[in-house]
Amino acid sequence: MENYVPMHECRVHKISIIVNRTHAILHSIAILFLIHYRLSFFFQHPPNITIPTLPWLLIFVSELLLCLAWLLKQFYRWRPVYRTVFPERLPADDKLPAIDVFICTADPNKEPSVEVMNTVISAMALDYPPEKLHVYVSDDAGSDATLRCTKEVWNFARYWVPFCRKYGLVTACPDVYFSSSEDGFKGSSEFKAERKKMEEKYEILKQRIRRIVQENHTDVPVNNKLDHSSIIEVINEYHKEKDEVKIPILVYVSREKRPSHHHNFKAGALNVLLRVSAMISNSPYILVLDCDMHCNDPTSARQAMCYHCDPQTSQFIAFVQFPQTFRNISEDDIYDSQLRFVFKIQWHGFDGAGGPTISGTNFYIKREALLGSFSKQQDLMALKRSFGPSNDFIKTLVEDYKPCFIKDGESSRMLLEHANVLASCSYEDQTTWGTKVGFLYFCVLEDYFTGFTLHRKGWKSVYLYPKRPQFLGISTTNFNETSIQWTRWVSGLTSVTISRFCPLICGPLKMSLVHLMCYLEVACMPLLCCLSVWGFALIPQLCLFNGIPLYPKISDSNFNIFSIIFISAISKSLYDIVTTGDQFRVWKNEWRIWMVRSVTCYTYGSLDAILNKLGIKEASFLPTNKVTDDEQVKLYEMGIFDFRAATMFLAPLVVVILVNFAAFVGAVFKALVVDDNGDRYWEKMFGQMFLSFYILVSNYVIIEGMIIRKDKASIPLSATLWSVVFSVFILLIGSAILC
């Protein structure tokens, strides 16, 4: 190790640490004063208590929950780290380990085939030895159209991959490349001629894909997406010509699905890919991609290998996580689709604590971390009890196993039959797949739970955030689909929170306390936020409506406590915006969408998980609809909310606005007209009036959607009328109970 040269470096941002820790200490002191103020109420002499106890207790609980959510976030801010890699220090290509690429698609009606196939093409064009790269397309719908499109893509890739390597293209996705200004060898007539030919081939490919999809819509489907047999095809074997330039093999996999067997969503599909790929290539490392997340930079594999191939880190690094970045984000980003806080702040702090959790896509994971390492002396029956009855698959678990699936360009029919058995829906029965090995099935968020389990076992992970996005995807750009997506995420996280696998209960085996708290924050955040925000959105307003003060008078020194906490929180979030290079409107949009999600997605997702825990409702997984609508995209780019969403998402928003509006207007009326001594009323009720006013101003787009806008994307009159009924009910019943 004397000549050891590191392939990567990790640096700690000292200024961020100083600012974060100083703010945490000062803000915590203010919170302690707030708790003292609230608690002192309960120790007053009974004759001196003029405020009902119940609303005081409820707002105190809401404040405690919000403070707890804030406290958990500080563990991310404790030690954020930033990483740099040196791919030029990697060993020679012939010494690099092989990589399997898993691309998952679930519904061709919601995931445009052109986008999916662009992801496949970009993965095949990664800057990596082609003989060590194997691309697997998992089609959970068992669609004949997807299989036919995959074959068309392989034919196109025979020309596209050599073209990318010959001219060193940094954009390997053809759809993005031909729509951008990247010209490469601008002065080369040869390049321009080849580029034009490639563009023509790509246009032909798109036409063929669209024709296949259209035919699939008109024809009677061969397979039911919830009831079909397994299909595995190695696309390369159908081509008999000998190509001058090697390209990665491409494999289509559709696992068997039957209504009588639970298919375990995406985790189930990934585990099938783990088994099938073991028979074909058995690469020690795996790249997992969503079907709409193309490889934007072909060097991502080499960057990840800087950790997996480094002798000082390779033994304990389970996966290298890249951020999710999107190419359809508008400047305003009204729905916070870019997940700025998560990938620009939170995951850097997660990395400093011991490594981020798996983020669904864009990660290079070690196969051994998912399956374990075994020797030839391992008890065969014990392995079969864990991994299933296939002797051929058991052989792949042995460290020195070399697959012999492809030989002289022809696939082994016998092993292909075995691979189909591995993709059957009954293969995992009476095994530990999804419980101890592979991607875990406990909740719909297999990434969070699998990452947490790996870290508890002692594995580490790293977070790479290069200047150039390594992967670019398509994000949801309308309110309805964004809400559905977040509700699904929240349901998975809350199911962990209320289970025996909650990080607080499960406890660390080989994790630090800070790392454990980071996991706890991710799991508990939705539940804490929805409960606290609902408290702040209704309790002070009901008391304001009835003239009951819950906050100190302006002249009271205790009023400074609430002012300091509010200003401190606002200032720190603005500081984060500035340090990440974003603008003020990003801060405004993030605060608004946080409040919106707290009373909608966080609430429904948490409720869904609780009902599932009680056995009242089964867990469900709805793929996000990635089919773009020109009108919706136009509204999104203009920064205009599209309220064409389910009433269940609109009603809570309108109810909160109506209750706050009624309370604020009523308070102003009392202060100006009814109360003879208006100054004292303003002084007594200012805190609650300001809170209602802040909620109304921050969510002006909802008021606009209810009253001002008359377009198709405004809030429907029916949703508003139903919300009026609920608001009146809350004002009457809530006032009777609390006051």
Side-chain angles (χ1 to χ4, degrees), residues 583-601:
Q583 300 178 4
F584 173 79
R585 60 185 175 186
V586 174
W587 170 85
K588 178 191 66 176
N589 291 333
E590 284 186 358
W591 271 88
R592 178 179 60 214
I593 204 66
W594 172 74
M595 288 186 278
V596 167
R597 285 174 181 159
S598 294
V599 299
T600 55
C601 313

Side-chain angles (χ1 to χ4, degrees), residues 371 374 383-389 393-394 397 427 431 433 437:
L371 301 179
F374 306 95
L383 288 176
K384 286 188 173 183
R385 284 193 296 270
S386 184
F387 293 97
F393 179 74
I394 298 299
L397 299 173
Y427 182 80
T431 70
W433 281 100
V437 297

